[in-house]
Amino acid sequence: MMKWKKRWAFLLLGLLAALALSACGEEQTVPEEEKDVLIYAALNPVTNTLEKSIARFNEKHEDAQIEIHDYSDENGRDRLQVELLLGQVPDIMELRCYGKAGEDLAGHFKVHHPGSDTGPEDGYFMPYRQLAQRGYLEDLWPYIENDPDLGREAVLEAPLKAAEVNGGLYMLFERMEIFTLIGRASVVGDRYSWTLEDMMEAYASMPEGSVIMRHDMTRREIFYNLLSNSLEGFVDRETGECTFDSKEFRDLVGFLETLPDEVDYEKPQEAEDEVKRQIKNGTQMLEGMAISWPYDVFISDAIFQEHASFVGYPTADGSSGSFFYQTGTVLGMSSACRNKEAAWAYIRQMVTPRLRKANAYFIGNTRAVHTPVSLPDYEAVCWYNVSYLMGEVFSKHIEWQGYWTMYHFQYGPEIRLTELMTEADLQRHRDLIDHTTRLYWPEDGLSDIVWETLGPCFAGDRTLEDTVGLLNNRVSLYLNEQK
């Protein structure tokens, strides 16, 4: 029996030797190097566009492959946050979810008033600032600066600087628009920001019975959709300290007190007609506006039928009261990414030039409805607005009909554009971008606490002094719990 075992052992060794020798022959194949697999966390439903984009990347890159993990289902957000806590951080992560319907690219063809319309109800924003401060995300400025085809001079720097956390840029987005409040320059002044005192002084100069803003700008909507983004200025997430007893916050509360608590929506068309009437007769001081493209500056003038000013909401120090509202895909890179150069090779596509002046149709399609962050693309859009849109399209209508019309209100006739857009109007759009310093990025937990605490103050059941003291305590406790 032992002889048979020895014989099988020798046969097995011989077989292994033969296999080893054949492996050394001409037919030998070198095993492929293992590629880095980068996980892409998709918060939004995975589209054909995304799949094709990643397929093209995977074809071109031998050192890394991107694999999509879908978090767009009902429990996806919770699942992702649990994985983050466990240290299972994706390499590339979408930071904004638009909801099941996806991003609305209808832009100019949809009435869009900041304060009453800021995205689908089932959409959400990841806690971007917390992720950055806790070290989950990679600073992207060095990648932009060292990219041979980019650099800071190749992007619109203002919206990206508004997205900074402690001087670092931890997200990148394709497009943006600006949420602001507009008014007649003859009433509010020709400026890009103001204080509460400036606003009330302008309001005092208006006819009796005037209102500050339109009927649907309620106190709650303005707080959640515009002012809640200012709350980060009153907290220090590292120390947990709060400054709600500051003049700036007291002025913010004072501004909210000028707004209605609720409105009657039983007859929306009549309410909208009333807004148009008040704007026309000069008894509504401000109108909410989303500046998506350069010619929205032109439309703002048409709303008031005179030069419009982009003042934004009032601030204590007179700083910017307008917001960049990022659109399109919003991505961040993990600080623990397995192949950062490969991840950047994918992310950078959002700010590389895509538009061409020669192709006016492509510039005018839905991809460019909002202002691109890529500077060459922005300049192409500027050219399209003045040289093509105004030079070849609107000018013919003005010649034929005496004016061109644009939609802004939900009901009724359009507004009249009585002149063509000029290079001076383009400069006003550039100036608005440069004067805007804030990013629209809600942090729901903080906002909820502040709004709940302000409720009794607005109702007259608690003094402002007691309210700010309570806010400092409650928010400080919340911040420390988040560490």
Side-chain angles (χ1 to χ4, degrees):
M1 189 70 176
M2 289 295 295
K3 290 181 180 179
W4 280 106
K5 285 184 178 181
K6 288 180 180 179
R7 185 178 297 175
W8 278 110
F10 281 122
L11 287 173
L12 181 58
L13 288 172
L15 179 60
L16 290 174
L19 290 173
L21 288 172
S22 65
C24 296
E26 295 181 356
E27 299 299 323
Q28 179 185 6
T29 57
V30 179
E32 293 184 6
E33 290 186 19
E34 186 175 348
K35 299 180 179 180
D36 289 324
V37 177
L38 304 182
I39 304 303
Y40 179 105
L43 275 57
N44 297 280
V46 178
T47 63
N48 289 335
T49 300
L50 174 61
E51 290 179 335
K52 290 178 181 178
S53 171
I54 288 180
R56 286 194 299 268
F57 176 90
N58 288 341
E59 288 176 4
K60 294 179 180 178
H61 291 81
E62 298 180 355
D63 58 335
Q65 299 285 283
I66 296 178
E67 181 180 295
I68 301 175
H69 284 198
D70 191 348
Y71 294 90
S72 63
D73 57 281
E74 185 176 351
N75 300 315
R77 182 183 185 181
D78 294 336
R79 190 169 71 256
L80 176 58
Q81 290 181 332
V82 168
E83 291 175 3
L84 290 175
L85 289 174
L86 294 175
Q88 301 171 13
V89 185
D91 301 282
I92 303 171
M93 177 169 36
E94 292 178 2
L95 294 171
R96 181 180 177 188
C97 173
Y98 290 97
K100 294 180 180 178
E103 181 190 7
D104 178 13
L105 293 176
H108 297 295
F109 310 103
K110 176 182 178 225
V111 176
H112 193 176
H113 298 302
S116 60
D117 181 8
T118 51
E121 292 183 1
D122 59 341
Y124 62 87
F125 297 76
M126 289 293 286
Y128 164 65
R129 295 180 182 90
Q130 293 182 47
L131 290 172
Q133 290 173 334
R134 292 179 182 180
Y136 284 102
L137 300 176
E138 182 83 358
D139 182 3
L140 298 179
W141 271 133
Y143 295 87
I144 293 175
E145 293 166 348
N146 296 322
D147 192 305
D149 298 321
L150 292 175
R152 289 193 182 227
E153 63 277 7
V155 296
L156 286 177
E157 197 168 353
L160 298 183
K161 285 188 68 65
E164 289 180 344
V165 177
N166 298 328
L169 175 66
Y170 301 93
M171 70 158 69
L172 203 59
F173 43 93
E174 297 175 87
R175 306 181 295 272
M176 60 81 182
E177 55 186 338
I178 297 175
F179 281 177
T180 189
L181 301 177
I182 65 173
R184 287 180 167 85
S186 60
V187 175
V188 303
D190 192 4
R191 56 177 117 199
Y192 291 95
S193 60
W194 59 351
T195 64
L196 183 64
E197 288 81 5
D198 294 330
M199 185 189 77
M200 298 312 295
E201 182 180 342
Y203 182 51
S205 70
M206 298 187 68
E208 185 177 352
S210 296
V211 296
I212 293 179
M213 289 192 293
R214 61 172 28 232
H215 69 281
D216 58 357
M217 292 288 201
T218 64
R219 186 178 297 155
R220 188 180 191 282
E221 286 172 332
I222 286 293
F223 174 80
Y224 271 102
N225 294 328
L226 284 179
L227 300 187
S228 64
N229 296 280
S230 303
L231 297 180
E232 290 294 328
F234 304 107
V235 301
D236 186 327
R237 290 188 177 273
E238 292 185 4
T239 65
E241 294 180 357
C242 305
T243 56
F244 290 105
D245 56 352
S246 64
K247 181 181 184 300
E248 185 174 5
F249 183 76
R250 292 171 188 270
D251 285 351
L252 186 152
V253 175
F255 174 55
L256 289 172
E257 287 178 334
T258 68
L259 305 173
D261 184 47
E262 58 183 18
V263 293
D264 182 9
Y265 287 101
E266 290 184 5
K267 298 179 179 179
Q269 183 168 346
E270 290 183 10
E272 190 80 352
D273 288 340
E274 178 65 10
V275 171
K276 288 186 288 185
R277 184 190 68 79
Q278 289 176 324
I279 288 177
K280 185 177 180 180
N281 65 22
T283 56
Q284 179 177 310
M285 186 168 73
L286 302 174
E287 173 74 341
M289 190 73 180
I291 308 296
S292 302
W293 252 23
Y295 75 55
D296 284 324
V297 170
F298 193 50
I299 293 174
S300 299
D301 291 347
I303 290 172
F304 293 108
Q305 290 294 293
E306 67 173 76
H307 189 84
S309 186
F310 306 94
V311 289
Y313 82 88
T315 60
D317 59 359
S319 59
S320 171
S322 301
F323 293 91
F324 290 112
Y325 181 73
Q326 70 296 318
T327 60
T329 305
V330 184
L331 293 180
M333 182 198 303
S334 165
S335 57
C337 178
R338 282 163 280 194
N339 190 328
K340 294 179 181 179
E341 293 304 320
W344 171 246
Y346 182 81
I347 294 173
R348 69 185 296 275
Q349 298 175 97
M350 292 192 294
V351 291
T352 52
R354 302 180 185 182
L355 306 182
R356 297 292 182 270
K357 289 182 180 180
N359 192 341
Y361 174 79
F362 184 61
I363 295 177
N365 72 8
T366 55
R367 187 173 192 80
V369 161
H370 298 140
T371 301
V373 173
S374 163
L375 185 55
D377 282 358
Y378 173 68
E379 294 299 336
V381 166
C382 288
W383 170 87
Y384 174 83
N385 275 242
V386 171
S387 299
Y388 177 77
L389 199 58
M390 293 294 168
E392 297 186 27
V393 181
F394 286 3
S395 61
K396 295 178 181 179
H397 285 273
I398 289 178
E399 181 182 347
W400 297 336
Q401 303 174 11
Y403 63 89
W404 179 252
T405 56
M406 272 291 175
Y407 289 96
H408 172 76
F409 300 102
Q410 185 72 47
Y411 302 98
E414 305 92 332
I415 58 176
R416 297 179 56 163
L417 303 184
T418 56
E419 297 177 351
L420 291 177
M421 187 177 182
T422 65
E423 288 291 339
D425 296 312
L426 281 182
Q427 188 57 48
R428 289 169 66 197
H429 187 255
R430 294 187 179 101
D431 290 343
L432 175 59
I433 291 174
D434 291 340
H435 282 86
T436 302
T437 60
R438 300 171 186 259
L439 179 75
Y440 180 90
W441 196 273
E443 203 289 296
D444 295 335
L446 176 59
S447 302
D448 291 343
I449 293 172
V450 174
W451 178 251
E452 180 184 331
T453 307
L454 286 174
C457 180
F458 291 138
D461 298 330
R462 183 187 296 140
T463 67
L464 179 57
E465 197 66 32
D466 290 340
T467 299
V468 295
L470 182 58
L471 269 174
N472 280 338
N473 291 332
R474 289 192 63 185
V475 175
S476 180
L477 178 62
Y478 166 77
L479 295 177
N480 288 311
E481 289 175 347
Q482 299 299 306
K483 291 182 180 180

